[in-house]
């Protein structure tokens, strides 16, 4: 649906291709007749595209229009990548906190980068920690990248399911 919707009396076309409240096709009808039907049903007549003739219009309750706009805006926003930092020698309580944080972010539709800072020979420990986190978050997140060990950190990215 377009950002600037034309509705009701602002529709200047002589006739419109009308779709009912429940998505049923009502065919091509004169605009005046469509407006009368909209008033009778206490809904809005909304033009969904200006690039065809006759223009397609729908009968929509005003609450539905706002809802559809909000849904469209949510879909437009790309998923954000959030980083969660950990250490290889993490305690159980801290691990649970980080897991819960990652779970919330994934459920909200964001991607999560789990980063473990590594010093010396902690690479193997970091990999085990990340594999455990991936396993715990498998119902809400899906692995986008493999576990990447590079210099001072180990990282994996999870996308929401």
């Amino acid at each position: 649906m377009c950002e600037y919707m034309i509705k009701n009396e602002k529709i200047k076309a002589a006739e419109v291709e009308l779709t009912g409240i429940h998505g049923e096709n009502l065919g091509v009808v004169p605009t005046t007749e469509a407006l009368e039907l909209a008033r009778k049903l206490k809904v809005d007549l909304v033009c969904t595209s200006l690039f065809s003739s006759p223009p397609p219009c729908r009968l929509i309750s005003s609450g539905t229009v706002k809802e559809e706009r909000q849904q469209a805006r949510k879909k437009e926003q790309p998923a954000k990548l959030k980083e969660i930092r950990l250490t290889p020698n993490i305690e159980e309580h801290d691990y649970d906190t980080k897991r819960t944080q990652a779970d919330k972010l994934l459920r909200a539709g964001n991607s999560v980068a789990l980063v473990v800072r590594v010093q010396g020979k902690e690479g193997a420990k970091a990999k085990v920690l990340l594999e455990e986190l991936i396993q715990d978050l498998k119902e809400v997140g899906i692995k986008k990248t493999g576990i990447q060990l590079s210099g001072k950190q180990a990282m994996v990215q999870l996308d929401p399911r």
Side-chain angles (χ1 to χ4, degrees), residues 86-157:
L86 307 118
T87 57
N89 302 320
I90 192 168
E91 293 187 21
E92 193 63 36
H93 173 265
D94 295 332
Y95 175 85
D96 291 340
T97 303
K98 297 290 186 177
R99 183 181 38 77
T100 305
Q101 189 180 11
D103 188 88
K104 282 182 186 173
L105 288 168
L106 288 166
R107 287 184 194 277
N110 295 310
S111 294
V112 176
L114 301 168
V115 179
V116 180
R117 298 280 175 205
V118 180
Q119 292 177 341
K121 297 180 180 179
E122 294 177 327
K125 233 182 196 179
K127 193 172 181 182
V128 169
L129 176 66
L130 288 175
E131 285 170 351
E132 190 179 334
L133 261 169
I134 292 166
Q135 193 61 34
D136 288 347
L137 295 167
K138 71 179 177 190
E139 63 185 53
V140 289
I142 193 167
K143 200 165 52 165
K144 181 179 182 181
T145 61
I147 296 175
Q148 301 163 344
L149 282 167
S150 61
K152 296 182 179 179
Q153 69 180 24
M155 187 191 127
V156 67
Q157 183 175 335

Side-chain angles (χ1 to χ4, degrees), residues 46-65:
V46 178
C47 182
T48 55
S49 172
L50 300 174
F51 300 109
S52 57
S53 181
C57 293
R58 289 173 50 193
L59 295 173
I60 304 175
S61 66
S62 57
T64 309
V65 173

Side-chain angles (χ1 to χ4, degrees), residues 6-104:
I6 296 176
K7 56 186 197 180
N8 300 332
E9 284 75 22
K10 291 183 181 169
I11 298 170
K12 301 295 182 200
E15 53 186 21
V16 295
E17 191 174 323
L18 190 61
T19 303
I21 295 174
H22 304 293
E24 66 277 11
N25 186 9
L26 302 175
V28 177
V29 296
T31 306
T32 52
E33 195 177 305
L35 282 168
E36 284 173 26
L37 183 60
R39 276 191 218 101
K40 193 170 98 178
L41 297 171
K42 293 186 171 75
V43 294
D44 289 322
L45 178 67
V46 178
C47 182
T48 55
S49 172
L50 300 174
F51 300 109
S52 57
S53 181
C57 293
R58 289 173 50 193
L59 295 173
I60 304 175
S61 66
S62 57
T64 309
V65 173
K66 286 179 185 174
E67 234 174 74
E68 284 184 6
R69 269 192 187 164
Q70 286 174 342
Q71 291 299 326
R73 266 193 214 116
K74 279 183 185 175
K75 286 180 185 171
E76 284 173 16
Q77 294 174 348
K80 292 185 177 121
L81 177 63
K82 303 286 187 171
E83 186 176 295
I84 296 179
R85 294 182 182 166
L86 307 118
T87 57
N89 302 320
I90 192 168
E91 293 187 21
E92 193 63 36
H93 173 265
D94 295 332
Y95 175 85
D96 291 340
T97 303
K98 297 290 186 177
R99 183 181 38 77
T100 305
Q101 189 180 11
D103 188 88
K104 282 182 186 173

